Amino acid sequence: MTQEIRAIFDRIAPVYDQLNNWLSLGQHRIWKEMAVKWSAAEPGDTCLDLCCGSGDLALRLARRAGAKGQVYGVDFSPNLLATAQERSQSQYPQSAISWIEADVLNLPFDDNQFDAATMGYGLRNVTDIPRSLQELHRVLKPRAKAAILDFHRPGNPQVRAFQQWYLDNIVVPIAEQMGVKEEYAYISPSLDRFPTGQEQVEISRQVGFVSATHYPIANGMMGVLVVSKV
């Protein structure tokens, strides 16, 4: 399954940013900025962005961490990492960002290494959500925070119906025009499998986070899980 997901993201890498823009009704930049703020990253911090994709959140973390900070962007798609590296060189060449190909279920970092962390649209796609949160907990320093942004199935039936209509009638046809219809068809079943915000909070506490809060946004179509280590 991991190999299949990696292959999907490798294939969509060239159109990943355009499709995310459509998928989020153009709002993903605002939500990503919210996630970075909730991570409480500060100047000089060592920061981690998991499932970094084309680098949006990692670049935002780098701007907050500043010249004395260090950011690690982790993804298992080499094509997306190549896109992220190109973007960072053109948009923010002075930042210290290391792009690392790795699996979020087995991070290549020491315990208690990071001051802050983010993950955008990644948790829904990992094959073992508790394990990924456990690894995140392991590599964070004591009292460090992480903010995890993702799509959700809203509880409200009307909003849920709108979300499904939007996926079927807007996102998938656009993906089809870009030649990646099959790759984006996985979104709907992945939303059905994804734990609710409250379930995410419970899993976070089970793996050791002392504090976990889930903030629904965009009428519950989106959410940010904010966790804090002891």
Side-chain angles (χ1 to χ4, degrees):
M1 183 65 178
T2 302
Q3 293 288 350
E4 290 172 24
I5 297 171
R6 181 188 285 121
I8 286 171
F9 281 95
D10 273 342
R11 289 195 297 272
I12 65 174
V15 294
Y16 182 78
D17 289 319
Q18 287 170 278
L19 277 164
N20 272 353
N21 207 39
W22 281 101
L23 193 58
S24 67
L25 295 89
Q27 301 295 297
H28 68 101
R29 293 178 188 86
I30 297 167
W31 300 330
K32 285 171 180 171
E33 201 56 46
M34 289 166 67
V36 169
K37 285 179 181 172
W38 267 321
S39 79
E42 294 182 351
D45 277 356
T46 302
C47 304
L48 176 65
D49 180 34
L50 296 173
C51 303
C52 66
S54 59
D56 260 6
L57 277 165
L59 285 162
R60 284 173 165 78
L61 282 172
R63 291 186 190 106
R64 283 181 81 93
K68 293 183 179 177
Q70 173 71 47
V71 175
Y72 292 83
V74 173
D75 205 286
F76 65 0
S77 164
N79 290 1
L80 279 172
L81 286 169
T83 302
Q85 192 151 13
E86 285 171 23
R87 288 183 68 198
S88 68
Q89 285 166 354
S90 63
Q91 291 182 23
Y92 205 58
Q94 70 270 38
S95 67
I97 306 179
S98 301
W99 304 104
I100 296 172
E101 186 181 337
D103 187 346
V104 296
L105 302 183
N106 187 22
L107 293 171
F109 303 115
D110 294 333
D111 295 357
N112 308 311
Q113 188 171 339
F114 295 98
D115 299 293
T118 55
M119 183 190 284
Y121 310 113
L123 193 65
R124 186 169 36 85
N125 297 312
V126 302
T127 54
D128 187 338
I129 288 172
R131 173 68 188 269
S132 66
L133 290 172
Q134 198 169 28
E135 272 292 270
L136 176 59
H137 181 273
R138 179 183 68 78
V139 301
L140 284 174
K141 291 179 182 177
R143 293 179 296 282
K145 285 186 175 180
I148 299 166
L149 167 69
D150 219 315
F151 296 110
H152 292 77
R153 281 289 188 212
N156 181 297
Q158 285 85 9
V159 180
R160 193 182 179 108
F162 166 76
Q163 182 190 58
Q164 193 59 50
W165 176 88
Y166 187 81
L167 285 169
D168 292 341
N169 295 282
I170 307 293
V171 174
V172 171
I174 289 167
E176 187 172 21
Q177 285 178 10
M178 293 178 170
V180 289
K181 179 185 178 182
E182 289 178 14
E183 286 79 0
Y184 264 71
Y186 83 95
I187 291 171
S188 195
S190 77
L191 283 167
D192 292 333
R193 291 190 302 268
F194 196 39
T196 65
Q198 188 52 45
E199 287 167 344
Q200 290 173 40
V201 166
E202 288 165 12
I203 296 168
S204 301
R205 292 189 173 137
Q206 285 165 11
V207 303
F209 285 105
V210 67
S211 165
T213 309
H214 186 268
Y215 298 96
I217 47 181
N219 290 315
M221 289 190 288
M222 204 73 48
V224 179
L225 173 67
V226 181
V227 291
S228 178
K229 189 169 172 177
V230 172

